[in-house]
Amino acid sequence: KVRRDILAVMRDHRHDDGSYAPLLIRFAWHCCGTYDAERRSGGPNGGTMRFAAEQSDPENAGLGKARDLLAPIHAKHAAAGLTTS
């Protein structure tokens, strides 16, 4: 169900080439890149892209749209166990 909801928001003729897929792939890549080996924190399991420190990083510019697209999906499926961390 989550996958279906992501696919539903991914295709949008009003955006650029008709798909948010490249943006969501970039978002996933940057989520993984937040891992801090020294502190052993962050990364995709840390959900750190939701925090201001990561959001304001210049390398993450433009990823707010991806968060905005995924927020309603997270809210919809949170009761079923979908988490940000």
Side-chain angles (χ1 to χ4, degrees):
K1 294 178 182 178
V2 174
R3 193 176 295 175
R4 181 177 50 229
D5 288 347
I6 292 171
L7 283 172
V9 299
M10 192 180 308
R11 297 181 186 108
D12 187 336
H13 69 278
R14 296 168 296 178
H15 178 72
D16 197 22
D17 66 350
S19 175
Y20 283 109
L23 177 65
L24 294 174
I25 291 168
R26 180 174 169 248
F27 182 68
W29 178 264
H30 281 257
C31 286
C32 293
T34 64
Y35 183 74
D36 183 337
E38 185 176 311
R39 294 186 184 146
R40 304 184 87 191
S41 65
N45 290 331
T48 58
M49 290 293 285
R50 61 197 160 106
F51 298 122
E54 288 295 335
Q55 292 175 14
S56 64
D57 187 316
E59 293 178 0
N60 297 328
L63 295 177
K65 181 63 179 177
R67 284 189 302 274
D68 293 346
L69 288 169
L70 296 173
I73 297 169
H74 175 262
K76 178 180 176 181
H77 297 283
L82 182 65
T83 66
T84 55
S85 60

